[in-house]
Short mmCIF file of all heavy atoms in Angstrom, two decimals:
data_model
loop_
_atom_site.label_atom_id
_atom_site.label_comp_id
_atom_site.label_asym_id
_atom_site.label_seq_id
_atom_site.Cartn_x
_atom_site.Cartn_y
_atom_site.Cartn_z
N VAL A 30 25.94 80.78 106.52
CA VAL A 30 26.57 79.66 107.20
C VAL A 30 25.68 78.44 107.02
O VAL A 30 24.47 78.50 107.29
CB VAL A 30 26.75 79.96 108.71
CG1 VAL A 30 27.33 78.76 109.44
CG2 VAL A 30 27.62 81.19 108.91
N PHE A 31 26.27 77.33 106.58
CA PHE A 31 25.51 76.09 106.40
C PHE A 31 25.72 75.20 107.61
O PHE A 31 26.84 74.96 108.04
CB PHE A 31 25.97 75.37 105.13
CG PHE A 31 25.29 74.04 104.93
CD1 PHE A 31 23.93 73.96 104.76
CD2 PHE A 31 26.03 72.86 104.92
CE1 PHE A 31 23.30 72.73 104.57
CE2 PHE A 31 25.42 71.64 104.73
CZ PHE A 31 24.05 71.57 104.56
N ASP A 32 24.61 74.70 108.17
CA ASP A 32 24.64 73.75 109.27
C ASP A 32 24.23 72.39 108.71
O ASP A 32 23.05 72.16 108.42
CB ASP A 32 23.66 74.20 110.36
CG ASP A 32 23.61 73.24 111.55
OD1 ASP A 32 23.98 72.06 111.43
OD2 ASP A 32 23.19 73.70 112.63
N ALA A 33 25.21 71.52 108.51
CA ALA A 33 24.96 70.22 107.88
C ALA A 33 24.02 69.35 108.71
O ALA A 33 23.17 68.64 108.15
CB ALA A 33 26.28 69.49 107.62
N ALA A 34 24.15 69.40 110.03
CA ALA A 34 23.31 68.56 110.89
C ALA A 34 21.84 68.96 110.77
O ALA A 34 20.96 68.10 110.72
CB ALA A 34 23.77 68.65 112.33
N ALA A 35 21.56 70.25 110.73
CA ALA A 35 20.18 70.73 110.64
C ALA A 35 19.73 70.92 109.19
O ALA A 35 18.55 71.15 108.94
CB ALA A 35 20.05 72.06 111.38
N LYS A 36 20.69 70.84 108.26
CA LYS A 36 20.43 71.05 106.83
C LYS A 36 19.77 72.42 106.59
O LYS A 36 18.77 72.54 105.90
CB LYS A 36 19.59 69.91 106.25
CG LYS A 36 19.74 69.76 104.76
CD LYS A 36 19.05 68.53 104.21
CE LYS A 36 19.18 68.53 102.69
NZ LYS A 36 18.42 67.47 102.06
N THR A 37 20.36 73.45 107.25
CA THR A 37 19.86 74.81 107.11
C THR A 37 20.98 75.77 106.73
O THR A 37 22.15 75.51 107.01
CB THR A 37 19.22 75.34 108.41
OG1 THR A 37 20.20 75.31 109.45
CG2 THR A 37 18.00 74.53 108.81
N VAL A 38 20.59 76.86 106.11
CA VAL A 38 21.51 77.94 105.78
C VAL A 38 20.99 79.17 106.53
O VAL A 38 19.79 79.45 106.50
CB VAL A 38 21.54 78.21 104.27
CG1 VAL A 38 22.51 79.33 103.95
CG2 VAL A 38 21.91 76.95 103.50
N THR A 39 21.91 79.90 107.19
CA THR A 39 21.51 81.07 107.97
C THR A 39 22.42 82.25 107.65
O THR A 39 23.63 82.09 107.55
CB THR A 39 21.58 80.77 109.48
OG1 THR A 39 20.74 79.65 109.77
CG2 THR A 39 21.12 81.96 110.31
N TRP A 40 21.81 83.41 107.50
CA TRP A 40 22.52 84.67 107.34
C TRP A 40 22.10 85.59 108.47
O TRP A 40 20.94 85.55 108.90
CB TRP A 40 22.15 85.38 106.04
CG TRP A 40 22.49 84.68 104.79
CD1 TRP A 40 23.60 84.86 104.02
CD2 TRP A 40 21.72 83.68 104.10
NE1 TRP A 40 23.58 84.04 102.92
CE2 TRP A 40 22.43 83.31 102.95
CE3 TRP A 40 20.50 83.07 104.36
CZ2 TRP A 40 21.95 82.37 102.05
CZ3 TRP A 40 20.03 82.12 103.48
CH2 TRP A 40 20.74 81.78 102.33
N THR A 41 22.99 86.44 108.94
CA THR A 41 22.63 87.50 109.87
C THR A 41 22.60 88.80 109.07
O THR A 41 23.60 89.20 108.49
CB THR A 41 23.64 87.60 111.02
OG1 THR A 41 23.64 86.36 111.73
CG2 THR A 41 23.26 88.73 111.97
N VAL A 42 21.43 89.43 109.03
CA VAL A 42 21.26 90.67 108.28
C VAL A 42 21.33 91.81 109.31
O VAL A 42 20.48 91.91 110.19
CB VAL A 42 19.92 90.68 107.52
CG1 VAL A 42 19.76 91.96 106.72
CG2 VAL A 42 19.82 89.46 106.61
N PRO A 43 22.35 92.68 109.18
CA PRO A 43 22.57 93.72 110.19
C PRO A 43 21.38 94.65 110.41
O PRO A 43 21.00 94.93 111.54
CB PRO A 43 23.77 94.50 109.67
CG PRO A 43 24.46 93.58 108.72
CD PRO A 43 23.37 92.72 108.14
N VAL A 44 20.76 95.13 109.33
CA VAL A 44 19.61 96.03 109.44
C VAL A 44 18.63 95.72 108.32
O VAL A 44 19.01 95.64 107.16
CB VAL A 44 20.04 97.52 109.33
CG1 VAL A 44 18.82 98.43 109.37
CG2 VAL A 44 21.01 97.89 110.43
N ILE A 45 17.35 95.56 108.71
CA ILE A 45 16.27 95.43 107.74
C ILE A 45 15.28 96.55 108.06
O ILE A 45 14.63 96.53 109.10
CB ILE A 45 15.57 94.05 107.81
CG1 ILE A 45 16.58 92.91 107.66
CG2 ILE A 45 14.48 93.95 106.74
CD1 ILE A 45 15.99 91.53 107.88
N ALA A 46 15.21 97.52 107.19
CA ALA A 46 14.35 98.68 107.42
C ALA A 46 12.88 98.26 107.43
O ALA A 46 12.51 97.20 106.90
CB ALA A 46 14.58 99.72 106.33
N ALA A 47 12.04 99.10 108.03
CA ALA A 47 10.60 98.85 108.02
C ALA A 47 10.13 98.70 106.58
O ALA A 47 10.52 99.47 105.70
CB ALA A 47 9.87 100.01 108.69
N ALA A 48 9.35 97.68 106.32
CA ALA A 48 8.76 97.37 105.00
C ALA A 48 9.80 96.99 103.94
O ALA A 48 9.46 96.85 102.77
CB ALA A 48 7.91 98.53 104.50
N GLU A 49 11.04 96.78 104.32
CA GLU A 49 12.07 96.40 103.35
C GLU A 49 11.98 94.92 102.99
O GLU A 49 11.68 94.07 103.83
CB GLU A 49 13.46 96.67 103.92
CG GLU A 49 14.58 96.26 102.98
CD GLU A 49 15.97 96.48 103.56
OE1 GLU A 49 16.10 96.74 104.76
OE2 GLU A 49 16.92 96.36 102.79
N THR A 50 12.27 94.63 101.72
CA THR A 50 12.38 93.25 101.24
C THR A 50 13.79 93.07 100.69
O THR A 50 14.33 93.95 100.03
CB THR A 50 11.34 92.99 100.13
OG1 THR A 50 10.03 93.10 100.68
CG2 THR A 50 11.51 91.60 99.53
N GLY A 51 14.37 91.91 100.96
CA GLY A 51 15.69 91.60 100.44
C GLY A 51 15.79 90.12 100.15
O GLY A 51 14.85 89.36 100.43
N THR A 52 16.90 89.70 99.58
CA THR A 52 17.08 88.29 99.27
C THR A 52 18.48 87.83 99.60
O THR A 52 19.42 88.63 99.64
CB THR A 52 16.82 87.99 97.77
OG1 THR A 52 17.73 88.73 96.98
CG2 THR A 52 15.39 88.29 97.37
N ARG A 53 18.61 86.56 99.82
CA ARG A 53 19.88 85.85 99.91
C ARG A 53 19.71 84.59 99.09
O ARG A 53 18.58 84.10 98.88
CB ARG A 53 20.24 85.49 101.36
CG ARG A 53 20.46 86.68 102.29
CD ARG A 53 21.70 87.44 101.88
NE ARG A 53 22.08 88.46 102.84
CZ ARG A 53 21.70 89.74 102.77
NH1 ARG A 53 20.91 90.13 101.80
NH2 ARG A 53 22.11 90.61 103.66
N GLN A 54 20.81 84.02 98.60
CA GLN A 54 20.71 82.83 97.76
C GLN A 54 21.76 81.79 98.14
O GLN A 54 22.82 82.13 98.66
CB GLN A 54 20.91 83.21 96.30
CG GLN A 54 19.83 84.10 95.74
CD GLN A 54 20.06 84.45 94.29
OE1 GLN A 54 21.18 84.63 93.85
NE2 GLN A 54 18.98 84.52 93.53
N PHE A 55 21.42 80.55 97.83
CA PHE A 55 22.38 79.46 97.89
C PHE A 55 22.05 78.51 96.76
O PHE A 55 20.99 78.60 96.13
CB PHE A 55 22.40 78.77 99.25
CG PHE A 55 21.13 78.04 99.63
CD1 PHE A 55 20.95 76.70 99.30
CD2 PHE A 55 20.13 78.68 100.33
CE1 PHE A 55 19.80 76.02 99.66
CE2 PHE A 55 18.97 78.01 100.71
CZ PHE A 55 18.81 76.68 100.37
N ARG A 56 22.97 77.62 96.50
CA ARG A 56 22.76 76.64 95.43
C ARG A 56 22.60 75.26 96.03
O ARG A 56 23.18 74.95 97.07
CB ARG A 56 23.93 76.69 94.45
CG ARG A 56 23.97 78.03 93.73
CD ARG A 56 25.18 78.27 92.88
NE ARG A 56 25.92 77.09 92.53
CZ ARG A 56 26.44 76.82 91.36
NH1 ARG A 56 26.33 77.69 90.39
NH2 ARG A 56 27.13 75.74 91.14
N ALA A 57 21.80 74.45 95.33
CA ALA A 57 21.55 73.08 95.79
C ALA A 57 21.51 72.16 94.58
O ALA A 57 21.11 72.55 93.49
CB ALA A 57 20.24 73.01 96.55
#
């Protein structure tokens, strides 16, 4: 979700396991 006023992008990740690494992307 992009918040234009704050100029931020936010995702809610349901589960992040211990020591897990993941990524999300957007374009600019």
Side-chain angles (χ1 to χ4, degrees):
V30 176
F31 176 63
D32 179 339
K36 203 173 176 187
T37 59
V38 181
T39 303
W40 296 264
T41 299
V42 181
V44 176
I45 305 174
E49 178 182 12
T50 295
T52 60
R53 296 293 189 267
Q54 295 180 324
F55 65 90
R56 294 172 18 139

